[in-house]
Amino acid sequence: MAAPLMEKISESLGSTEPALRLILSVLSGYPCALLYRRFLFYQSPFVLHLFHTVSGLGFAAFNFGPQLYHSAVCILVQFLMLRLMGRTITAILSSFVFQMVYLLAGYYYTATEEYDIKWTMPHCVLALKLIGLSFDYYDGGKEPSELNPEQQKSSLSSVPSLLEMYGFAYFYGGFLVGPQFTLRSYQRLVAGELTDCPGQPPNSILPAMKRFSLGLLCLGIYMIFSPYYSDSYFLEDEYEAQPFWYRCVFILLWAKVILYKYVSCWVIAEGVCVLSGLGYNGLGSNGEHTWDACANMKVWQFETTPLFTGTIASFNINTNAWVARHIFKRLKFLGNKVMSQMATLLFLALWHGLHSGYILCFSMEFIIVNVERKYQALVKDSPLLTKLAQGPFYPLFYVAQQFIHWLFMGYPLVAFCLFTYDKWLKVYSSVYFCGHVFFFLIYMALPYLRKLLVPRKEQTEKKED
């Protein structure tokens, strides 16, 4: 009875049934958080772990049916590795290999040429949680002086119980779409420490409703415009028959619309975390209580920044922070920042899936970010460019920069969203590989522009540095 009803509702909304189930599950986090605040805030950790486990398993069953066993098995294996291997490098490597191989095997056996909502979607979130757990437990065995502030904050003094691990993994505010958070944060939530009113539920209803409202607004924008800017249009003859400028502008507008799919889910899920208290982040610089510990999006920055690095910094924040903490910074032994960055982006590409589009997308991100940084340095070193950037014509430069920014944000996203070689190659061919050509040309022009626009003194100092 429930399945036909869900199918009818999804059809009337112009959505798929799995997408409808997902958004209903994310929204159901709000009643769960209210239930916790009203009836369970003063209960024992055992009761709270059980509540989080049962509610999360309920959402898993609602969305993925019997395939929920994948997450349950991986959590159990992670618990056994921590118990049996202790605080060792072996435990970290075993955890990393097992969780990633399991995830990649899931991608391999469930892969299609379309974006499907299936058990691997929350499992990629879970894999990072469990791998991070092994790092945090390992760090707990070190002296505090050996750890940086982030590691000190997340390190674990003991192995959690099995029920605690299930509660952490299945917490209703983060199981399906994130955000990432540490077990220490979860333990503080269960202990009733994440509140602006010690000993009482947090005054977080208003901040949570703000994120909820913003998330619904983003979801509405996506639902209204996504039918006009669909992935499938790239592969139609009509798209290829359009003028070159139209094809480029379509990529720009499509990128803006398609990203709202992720923005809306993350902002709504963040509201759940804020309502429960997990989003509490202590006092801000002005002494006000802040609720952004689980913020996965800086929506205003996302909308207004003219920089590629600005967009990346405002998007999927907690996952980026996890990768920086556990991958990029721990590759310091390589002694080469560029190599560490390349290895980190390769990990991210594989974590997203096995399609060639992911590899190409993150490869282009590496190139775009590094070229942008070089041009930022050029503007800083050139008195003429600095003057123009700060002058009365800046609004015109800002509009042009935003156009370039979103056109070439959308360009690598084509490969990310179309997945397979034959599809993204068709689109890039139709726009004459303009993104590849553009960044190749401006990279090759950089030394000549530096000689032309940067005073000799500045060039000499750069070489000496």
Side-chain angles (χ1 to χ4, degrees):
M1 182 69 182
L5 177 61
M6 293 295 295
E7 188 176 347
K8 288 180 181 178
I9 295 174
S10 62
E11 287 178 359
S12 66
L13 293 173
S15 176
T16 63
E17 184 179 339
L20 177 61
R21 287 178 180 271
L22 175 65
I23 195 63
L24 287 176
S25 300
V26 174
L27 290 170
S28 296
Y30 286 89
C32 289
L34 290 171
L35 181 63
Y36 158 72
R37 293 169 59 94
R38 179 66 180 86
F39 299 106
L40 301 175
F41 184 82
Y42 301 103
Q43 295 296 320
S44 67
F46 175 84
V47 172
L48 293 178
H49 296 325
L50 189 62
F51 171 62
H52 296 151
T53 301
V54 171
S55 58
L57 282 171
F59 292 139
F62 178 65
N63 284 274
F64 313 113
Q67 291 181 329
L68 63 84
Y69 78 86
H70 291 290
S71 56
V73 166
C74 287
I75 297 166
L76 176 61
V77 171
Q78 185 66 45
F79 170 77
L80 293 174
M81 284 193 288
L82 294 180
R83 283 286 187 184
L84 299 175
M85 296 181 183
R87 303 183 197 274
T88 61
I89 295 293
T90 303
I92 292 176
L93 293 176
S94 299
S95 171
F96 190 94
V97 171
F98 175 80
Q99 301 298 349
M100 285 302 296
V101 168
Y102 199 104
L103 176 64
L104 294 177
Y107 286 147
Y108 179 81
Y109 286 108
T110 63
T112 66
E113 293 189 1
E114 304 293 334
Y115 182 82
D116 300 316
I117 296 175
K118 45 189 179 289
W119 68 266
T120 53
M121 186 199 69
H123 203 88
C124 70
V125 178
L126 177 65
L128 295 192
K129 278 186 181 178
L130 297 179
I131 293 170
L133 197 59
S134 65
F135 278 109
D136 293 339
Y137 181 57
Y138 177 77
D139 290 340
K142 295 181 178 180
E143 293 295 326
S145 58
E146 299 179 74
L147 305 175
N148 62 40
E150 284 182 328
Q151 293 170 334
Q152 291 179 24
K153 192 176 179 180
S154 60
S155 62
L156 298 170
S157 59
S158 61
V159 178
S161 69
L162 181 59
L163 182 61
E164 186 176 19
M165 280 190 61
Y166 275 112
F168 163 65
Y170 285 122
F171 175 69
Y172 50 82
F175 168 62
L176 289 170
V177 297
Q180 290 292 328
F181 53 88
T182 65
L183 180 61
R184 279 295 299 125
S185 295
Y186 174 77
Q187 289 173 337
R188 293 185 65 205
L189 172 72
V190 170
E193 297 175 9
L194 294 180
T195 175
D196 57 334
C197 303
Q200 299 179 37
N203 292 313
S204 58
I205 293 178
L206 182 59
M209 290 302 102
K210 288 181 179 178
R211 302 310 282 177
F212 173 73
S213 302
L214 181 59
L216 286 186
L217 175 63
C218 294
L219 181 62
I221 292 172
Y222 174 73
M223 292 184 69
I224 291 169
F225 291 102
S226 59
Y228 303 101
Y229 297 96
S230 65
D231 303 352
S232 59
Y233 184 68
F234 283 118
L235 306 175
E236 294 178 10
D237 294 336
E238 183 182 344
Y239 174 78
E240 201 161 357
Q242 299 289 353
F244 173 72
W245 68 266
Y246 182 95
R247 298 197 294 271
C248 291
V249 171
F250 183 87
I251 290 176
L252 183 155
L253 296 174
W254 165 82
K256 288 289 289 184
V257 171
I258 198 70
L259 289 177
Y260 277 112
K261 174 171 63 176
Y262 305 99
V263 173
S264 59
C265 285
W266 289 336
V267 174
I268 291 171
E270 182 196 340
V272 176
C273 294
V274 171
L275 188 60
S276 68
L278 189 64
Y280 183 63
N281 204 20
L283 296 176
S285 57
N286 297 323
E288 78 285 4
H289 294 285
T290 59
W291 303 94
D292 59 354
C294 293
N296 228 8
M297 283 296 308
K298 295 178 181 177
V299 178
W300 179 251
Q301 180 179 334
F302 174 78
E303 292 295 343
T304 59
T305 179
L307 301 173
F308 296 98
T309 48
T311 299
I312 293 168
S314 67
F315 189 82
N316 206 1
I317 296 168
N318 283 287
T319 299
N320 290 337
W322 187 100
V323 172
R325 185 169 68 250
H326 293 305
I327 305 295
F328 180 76
K329 292 180 181 179
R330 293 180 192 264
L331 291 174
K332 192 175 181 180
F333 67 89
L334 294 176
N336 188 308
K337 193 173 181 179
V338 173
M339 286 183 63
S340 298
Q341 187 182 4
M342 290 175 66
T344 302
L345 290 173
L346 176 61
F347 170 80
L348 274 174
L350 291 174
W351 175 69
H352 277 90
L354 296 173
H355 293 295
S356 61
Y358 295 130
I359 299 289
L360 183 61
C361 175
F362 285 100
S363 299
M364 285 192 281
E365 178 186 324
F366 173 80
I367 294 168
I368 290 170
V369 165
N370 280 281
V371 169
E372 180 180 76
R373 284 174 178 161
K374 290 181 183 296
Y375 271 86
Q376 283 180 290
L378 173 63
V379 172
K380 182 180 178 182
D381 295 340
S382 169
L384 175 62
L385 294 180
T386 300
K387 185 177 180 180
L388 288 173
Q390 297 173 351
F393 294 105
Y394 175 72
L396 295 177
F397 294 131
Y398 176 81
V399 171
Q401 194 176 0
Q402 277 285 25
F403 179 85
I404 294 170
H405 164 223
W406 276 107
L407 173 60
F408 294 115
M409 276 298 298
Y411 192 82
L413 278 175
V414 169
F416 185 93
C417 294
L418 295 186
F419 298 150
T420 58
Y421 172 84
D422 56 322
K423 291 181 179 179
W424 54 255
L425 183 61
K426 177 181 173 66
V427 179
Y428 289 146
S429 299
S430 72
V431 291
Y432 312 113
F433 297 93
C434 63
H436 296 78
V437 173
F438 177 79
F439 282 100
F440 174 76
L441 291 177
I442 64 171
Y443 179 78
M444 295 301 292
L446 186 61
Y448 303 100
L449 291 174
R450 181 165 283 279
K451 285 182 180 180
L452 180 65
L453 297 170
V454 179
R456 288 181 178 274
K457 182 181 176 182
E458 293 283 346
Q459 294 181 37
T460 305
E461 288 176 356
K462 285 286 180 181
K463 287 180 181 179
E464 289 175 355
D465 292 343

